[in-house]
């Protein structure tokens, strides 16, 4: 099985467990417009392994997480209805893993492996 060039993992740091059921969209900046490439939903481990193609060209990309729906689904009030992470991808790099550490009133991210 091939893995997408970009994968993600969402962890709910308040509950101390993976955030299952978070809708995630992948977009590419084309000129001045964002183009939708793929979408997925986090699994029981909070991961989206199949999010777009196996190879992408160098460029600027964005992951958009529907955090508002996730928190509403678990009955938790949250400040951010969406988290958007924009980053630059170098096609020479084999894989980009972009995790999201999430709580109702804060988030952080990093480039994983």
């Amino acid at each position: 099985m091939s893995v997408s060039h970009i994968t993600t993992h969402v962890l709910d740091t308040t509950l101390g467990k993976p955030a299952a059921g978070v809708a995630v969209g992948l977009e590419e900046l084309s000129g001045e417009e964002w183009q939708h490439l793929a979408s997925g939903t986090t699994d029981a481990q909070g991961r989206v392994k199949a999010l777009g193609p196996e190879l992408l060209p160098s460029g600027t990309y964005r992951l958009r997480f529907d955090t508002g729906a996730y928190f509403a689904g678990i009955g938790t009030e949250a400040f951010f209805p969406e988290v958007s992470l924009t980053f630059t991808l170098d096609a020479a790099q084999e894989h980009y893993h972009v995790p999201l550490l999430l709580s109702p009133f804060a988030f952080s991210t990093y480039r994983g492996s």
Side-chain angles (χ1 to χ4, degrees):
M1 180 177 119
S2 65
V3 175
S4 303
H5 203 157
I6 298 170
T7 57
T8 190
H9 188 193
V10 183
L11 298 171
D12 185 326
T13 59
T14 301
L15 298 177
K17 65 180 192 175
V22 178
V24 182
L26 172 63
E27 300 173 333
E28 177 182 22
L29 186 60
S30 178
E32 295 184 23
E33 303 274 329
W34 287 101
Q35 302 297 318
H36 178 80
L37 296 179
S39 57
T41 303
T42 57
D43 62 17
Q45 289 77 42
R47 297 181 183 276
V48 180
K49 295 178 185 173
L51 188 60
E54 188 175 346
L55 296 172
L56 290 165
S58 296
T60 301
Y61 292 85
R62 174 168 73 184
L63 288 174
R64 295 176 66 185
F65 299 84
D66 188 355
T67 55
Y70 166 74
F71 282 118
I74 62 170
T76 301
E77 180 183 341
F79 182 68
F80 298 103
E82 175 183 276
V83 171
S84 178
L85 305 177
T86 303
F87 54 95
T88 304
L89 183 143
D90 178 353
Q93 299 289 313
E94 291 182 19
H95 179 247
Y96 281 73
H97 185 63
V98 185
L100 177 64
L101 306 175
L102 184 62
S103 74
F105 299 99
F107 66 88
S108 67
T109 189
Y110 58 95
R111 167 132 190 235
S113 56

